[in-house]
Amino acid sequence: MHEVAPVNPWVALAYLVAGVCFILALRGLSSPSTSRAGNRYGMVGMLIAVVTTLVTHEIASLPEILGAIAVGGILGFVIARKIKMTDMPQLVAGFHSLVGVAAVLVGVAAYLNPTAFGIAFPASSEHAGLILPVSRIELGLGVAIGAITFSGSVIAFLKLNGNMGGAPIMLPGRHVINLGTLAAILGLIAFFTVQIEAPVWVFWVVLALSFVIGFLLIIPIGGADMPVVVSMLNSYSGWAAAAMGFTLGNTAMIITGALVGSSGAILSYIMCRAMNRSFISVIAGGFGGDAGGGGAGEAKEQRPWKRGSAEDAAYIMGQAENVIIVPGYGMAVAQAQHTLREMADKLKEHGVGVKYAIHPVAGRMPGHMNVLLAEANVPYDEVFELEDINSEFAQADVAFIIGANDVVNPAAKTDKSSPIYGMPVFDVGKAKTVFFIKRSMGGVGYAGVDNDVFYADNTMMLLADAKKMVEEIVKSLD
């Protein structure tokens, strides 16, 4: 593919408009109330970028390109229509892997045929046909980041989809292995850049090592921290696209990739601060991994606990002044968000104040609970983040926990051997009464840690499918 008019002001203007649309998309996606408009801006920007690229480039076979776009568009449309909200996190991880492998394939194509991509020395040069030094840097980094994104996203997908366990997988000397592998990748890229006639094996070894390090960086990260991993991989996919944008000389790819990469990095940093994690340790992989966890992963069924019923919950919440609802992944699995909103509406009819408490890592990806509640038309002014509502549990009459576990587990504050130690959690135990919906006492959270809240004197366990239990509570409120 060759640039027809790389300095054409109309092309630059079109890419600028596309970039502005992407910025507006990010701004819109920062709030649930403006997220639909943000999505539209993003689609318009991508349409402008794609059409501009097709019009201003000489393409060997336009029908083939349009056919590929049609196939991809149809597949994306069908997947988006059929995907369950509970499967959205692994879908995001899967799509990140596609971005990574696309960057790798473009990089490989550019390496095998640099002249076609306009990154080779001119025919009059003594190095005719060889890749330019600047392009070697872009190519090496783009392929490396793309490969890391691909293999890391595949592991994230397998963990989120249940094909791999959520517990961290700790390799002996993993930090030394990771640092050594990263050093080898950077060293080989530097050699590939400086040595114009570098052996062929250098490029392929960089690619292979990058695939390996992506795998090594993600397997030590536990299930409770997967939302941070998803946002981090989102950042990686952006930087991979930006690097390939430089290789292709495509301004739109550079702008889009930089926006995605920087916004994903910022989101990861914000989530790490919210979870009391080190941002550097996230990048290194396996943060919190040195915690042994002891035998905390086993549910302690022999401890005394109190079982409640839908009638108990309806009566106590109907008499309460305020109720704080804490949703989690179990709510998503049961698809209980619509019934939950119906229950909240009933409580408000009884004069009860209702609020929703959303933890930064509730669910399996950033904003998972916000999306579910928005889907059920829960008013945005009733939804609060951890730092804004955690102090209110001490004055709450009822803490209603539906499908959450790790985000309300006091072990994060009290047990230094716990894999979730140091993560801020909701102080639900301070409420006068705690209703805890889960399927059975035998299960533990995604991080595999038992929860002392189950056995507290002020807790009633509501053991059932979340949706069925809430439906029964709604009937009892009637």
Side-chain angles (χ1 to χ4, degrees):
M1 146 182 336
H2 297 280
E3 293 275 359
V4 173
V7 294
N8 188 325
W10 292 107
V11 174
L13 178 61
Y15 284 151
L16 178 61
V17 172
V20 171
C21 287
F22 295 141
I23 294 172
L24 292 174
L26 286 176
R27 181 182 179 184
L29 293 171
S30 65
S31 171
S33 60
T34 58
S35 59
R36 290 180 183 273
N39 265 323
R40 294 191 187 99
Y41 279 122
M43 289 188 287
V44 170
M46 185 55 66
L47 179 63
I48 293 172
V50 170
V51 171
T52 302
T53 301
L54 291 177
V55 171
T56 59
H57 287 69
E58 292 178 3
I59 300 174
S61 176
L62 185 59
E64 290 181 1
I65 297 296
L66 294 177
I69 292 175
V71 170
I74 293 171
L75 286 174
F77 179 81
V78 171
I79 291 172
R81 293 284 295 179
K82 290 188 174 183
I83 193 71
K84 298 178 181 178
M85 282 304 301
T86 49
D87 296 333
M88 190 62 69
Q90 48 264 52
L91 175 69
V92 172
F95 280 178
H96 286 163
S97 72
L98 295 180
V99 176
V101 77
V104 169
L105 292 176
V106 170
V108 169
Y111 176 74
L112 295 177
N113 192 3
T115 303
F117 285 78
I119 60 173
F121 282 96
S124 58
S125 171
E126 61 177 313
H127 300 300
L130 297 178
I131 302 173
L132 295 165
V134 172
S135 298
R136 287 172 177 266
I137 298 175
E138 301 160 358
L139 190 61
L141 291 176
V143 167
I145 299 172
I148 292 171
T149 303
F150 172 75
S151 55
S153 297
V154 168
I155 298 301
F157 173 87
L158 293 175
K159 288 199 172 200
L160 290 167
N161 204 45
N163 303 106
M164 289 181 66
I169 300 174
M170 303 299 176
L171 298 177
R174 67 186 185 283
H175 294 306
V176 174
I177 296 173
N178 290 350
L179 288 174
T181 306
L182 286 172
I185 292 172
L186 294 175
L188 287 172
I189 291 176
F191 177 73
F192 178 68
T193 302
V194 174
Q195 188 65 34
I196 301 299
E197 298 182 1
V200 174
W201 62 263
V202 174
F203 176 83
W204 299 110
V205 170
V206 167
L207 182 59
L209 290 178
S210 299
F211 279 125
V212 171
I213 195 63
F215 169 81
L216 294 175
L217 287 174
I218 305 303
I219 60 170
I221 299 178
D225 297 316
M226 288 310 293
V228 183
V229 174
V230 172
S231 62
M232 180 179 67
L233 291 170
N234 179 56
S235 177
Y236 289 172
S237 68
W239 296 125
M244 287 300 102
F246 280 106
T247 299
L248 297 174
N250 190 297
T251 307
M253 281 188 68
I254 297 171
I255 294 173
T256 307
L259 285 172
V260 173
S262 57
S263 61
I266 292 169
L267 177 59
S268 299
Y269 177 72
I270 292 172
M271 294 186 70
C272 286
R273 288 191 62 185
M275 295 170 60
N276 196 27
R277 304 295 196 190
S278 166
F279 182 66
I280 300 300
S281 62
V282 175
I283 299 174
F287 50 97
D290 293 328
E298 301 176 5
K300 305 168 186 176
E301 295 185 63
Q302 71 276 14
R303 297 170 64 181
W305 53 277
K306 290 187 291 187
R307 184 165 192 159
S309 65
E311 292 76 15
D312 295 330
Y315 177 77
I316 293 176
M317 288 195 292
Q319 301 297 315
E321 290 186 8
N322 50 70
V323 173
I324 300 178
I325 300 172
V326 183
Y329 187 67
M331 182 192 74
V333 172
Q335 287 290 284
Q337 62 269 25
H338 296 280
T339 312
L340 183 67
R341 192 217 66 213
E342 185 180 355
M343 184 192 81
D345 291 342
K346 294 288 184 184
L347 289 174
K348 286 185 280 188
E349 290 176 6
H350 285 71
V352 181
V354 178
K355 294 182 178 180
Y356 297 81
I358 306 296
H359 195 279
V361 295
R364 302 290 171 84
M365 71 175 186
H368 197 183
M369 293 301 104
N370 300 78
V371 172
L372 288 171
L373 295 179
E375 182 190 19
N377 295 317
V378 171
Y380 300 129
D381 58 0
E382 294 179 4
V383 180
F384 296 86
E385 301 294 335
L386 182 144
E387 64 272 12
D388 298 322
I389 199 172
N390 207 20
S391 61
E392 297 186 24
F393 282 100
Q395 291 80 42
D397 291 316
V398 175
F400 187 84
I401 304 162
I402 174 170
N405 194 333
D406 298 325
V407 299
V408 298
N409 195 333
K413 294 183 177 181
T414 60
D415 185 2
K416 292 186 178 180
S417 68
S418 172
I420 63 172
Y421 181 74
M423 183 178 78
V425 293
F426 288 119
D427 297 323
V428 295
K430 293 182 179 180
K432 292 179 182 178
T433 303
V434 178
F435 289 109
F436 211 123
I437 297 182
K438 66 193 303 286
R439 287 184 176 274
S440 70
M441 290 300 294
V444 290
Y446 194 46
V449 184
D450 197 26
N451 194 332
D452 287 338
V453 174
F454 300 162
Y455 317 103
D457 293 335
N458 62 334
T459 298
M460 288 189 187
M461 301 300 299
L462 306 176
L463 303 183
D465 174 81
K467 185 176 182 180
K468 291 180 180 179
M469 176 57 70
V470 176
E471 286 175 346
E472 291 180 15
I473 294 174
V474 171
K475 291 178 182 178
S476 298
L477 285 170
D478 288 334

